[in-house]
Amino acid sequence: MKRPAVRITDVAALAGVSAGTASKALNNTGQLSQDTRERVRRAAAQLGFTPDVRGRALSSGRTFTVALLTTDSSGRFSIPIMRGVEDVLSAGELATVLCDTRDDPLREQSYLRSMVARGVDGIVVTGRRTEPRPPIDVPLPVVYALAASADPADASVIVDDAAGAAAVITHLRTLGRSRIAHVTGPADHRSAVERAYAMSSSTLVGEPLFGEWSEQWGRQATDLVLRAHPDVDAITCGSDQIARGVCDRLRELGRAVPGEIAVTGYDNWPVMALASRPPLTSVDLRLEELGRRAANLLLDAIAGNPHHGVLELPAQLVPRESTLGA
């Protein structure tokens, strides 16, 4: 015999609230306490309640879908951000659609037209660069993640790169390192310049070396650093890729890491940081948390309470063997 479908009134009764309150909790709307929302969600999970998405859409005029628009084709930055976004949106039964523009303005406009036509509830805009980007022009709530909007009235969530770089220098100086060189990516990348500036203001030996975000550049830069400053005792890097190349070259030259020269990366990309020999001390951008904060801002905007301006989130230093030793 087929079991009767679980109704919103069943969820409300188990949670000890009205049907209207239960609906608001599951739709992530209304002025409810977090305790009430959690109690309703636990009741829904216990009963196996599945919302009627089509009914919700018809009654509310919403599609319960959010688009994540990105220029990051590799997914290096957008996938962790999307995980954070989905952590928040899935609790309210919202679906996330990933739109990869591949850095093509025409493709971006095509996606935007399509998302507006589909009636998505809002858009999170992200990418692989941290430079402020032109705002998108759509009649929908929009939040920018990782790269801020060039319009200060828009809501943006970014990482405090300068503080992350400063934490690296503090860490190395605490370990007694005083002859510190810096190797980073292209001079026209905001993230490379910000990290280099924050470190050079702490009196590095020589000028920061700008190049590519690659292991090959890390190996080449190591030779340049050692030629100019043979007594260097630490090399900080603007990315984990560069740092892994530095470690490889130092090992080839018979220089112990961190015994003779400590090495740090940036981004805390597990593929690089953990596979390096030795594993890298790095700065975690906390991209999932960035995605969660962006999603919460978007939900507020969808509910009619938009935020404005730039929110900077702290990065987190993750010490490992490349500075601490075994």
Side-chain angles (χ1 to χ4, degrees):
M1 182 176 177
K2 186 177 180 181
R3 294 175 58 187
V6 178
R7 299 171 300 174
I8 190 69
T9 51
D10 300 321
V11 175
L14 181 58
V17 299
S18 69
T21 296
S23 178
K24 290 176 183 177
L26 294 175
N27 293 332
N28 208 34
T29 60
Q31 301 297 315
L32 305 180
S33 70
Q34 190 60 33
D35 179 69
T36 299
R37 292 187 193 278
E38 289 300 326
R39 192 165 71 251
V40 171
R41 288 167 184 164
R42 284 196 299 269
Q46 182 178 333
L47 294 174
F49 175 71
T50 303
D52 181 352
V53 176
R54 287 176 299 179
R56 292 166 71 200
L58 288 172
S59 63
S60 66
R62 292 175 52 189
T63 61
F64 296 92
T65 304
V66 164
L68 182 71
L69 188 74
T70 181
T71 61
D72 176 27
S73 298
S74 70
R76 162 69 189 92
F77 300 99
S78 60
I79 295 303
I81 290 173
M82 184 170 74
R83 283 199 296 264
V85 168
E86 289 187 329
D87 283 348
V88 173
L89 298 185
S90 62
E93 302 292 337
L94 278 77
T96 308
V97 178
L98 180 64
C99 304
D100 175 18
T101 69
R102 304 178 194 175
D103 255 344
D104 181 348
L106 293 179
R107 192 180 182 90
E108 176 173 294
Q109 290 303 312
S110 175
Y111 268 130
L112 291 175
R113 286 193 297 271
S114 175
M115 292 303 103
V116 171
R118 291 170 183 267
V120 299
D121 295 331
I123 299 176
V124 175
V125 180
T126 187
R128 65 177 184 274
R129 298 277 293 268
T130 62
E131 284 78 10
R133 58 151 291 155
I136 62 175
D137 183 15
V138 292
L140 298 168
V142 179
V143 173
Y144 299 81
L146 192 62
S149 168
D151 185 345
D154 290 332
S156 303
V157 187
I158 66 173
V159 179
D160 189 346
D161 260 333
V168 170
I169 295 298
T170 299
H171 172 69
L172 290 172
R173 294 201 179 281
T174 300
L175 295 173
R177 308 288 174 157
S178 59
R179 302 279 300 168
I180 305 171
H182 184 62
V183 178
T184 192
D188 61 348
H189 281 218
R190 180 176 180 268
S191 57
V193 172
E194 278 207 343
R195 296 166 190 178
Y197 178 78
M199 292 184 184
S200 61
S201 63
S202 301
T203 319
L204 298 175
V205 294
E207 295 295 321
L209 295 180
F210 292 93
E212 302 173 347
W213 301 116
S214 70
E215 294 175 66
Q216 181 181 3
W217 165 236
R219 290 191 291 270
Q220 294 171 346
T222 301
D223 290 337
L224 296 175
V225 168
L226 294 179
R227 191 176 303 136
H229 309 285
D231 59 346
V232 69
D233 61 12
I235 300 177
T236 61
C237 302
S239 78
D240 294 332
Q241 287 173 283
I242 295 172
R244 185 170 171 179
V246 169
C247 286
D248 286 348
R249 182 56 179 154
L250 288 173
R251 188 170 59 253
E252 290 170 358
L253 296 172
R255 306 293 293 271
V257 177
E260 294 180 69
I261 302 175
V263 178
T264 66
Y266 209 105
D267 296 336
N268 198 34
W269 186 13
V271 171
M272 288 289 163
L274 298 181
S276 178
R277 298 172 56 195
L280 294 170
T281 289
S282 188
V283 176
D284 194 324
L285 302 181
R286 302 175 66 226
L287 295 175
E288 289 192 28
E289 176 60 19
L290 188 145
R292 284 189 285 270
R293 296 297 286 272
N296 277 311
L297 292 181
L298 188 64
L299 286 177
D300 286 346
I302 291 170
N305 302 304
H307 296 257
H308 304 282
V310 177
L311 173 63
E312 271 192 318
L313 299 185
Q316 180 180 2
L317 181 71
V318 182
R320 294 193 181 95
E321 289 92 325
S322 69
T323 58
L324 299 178

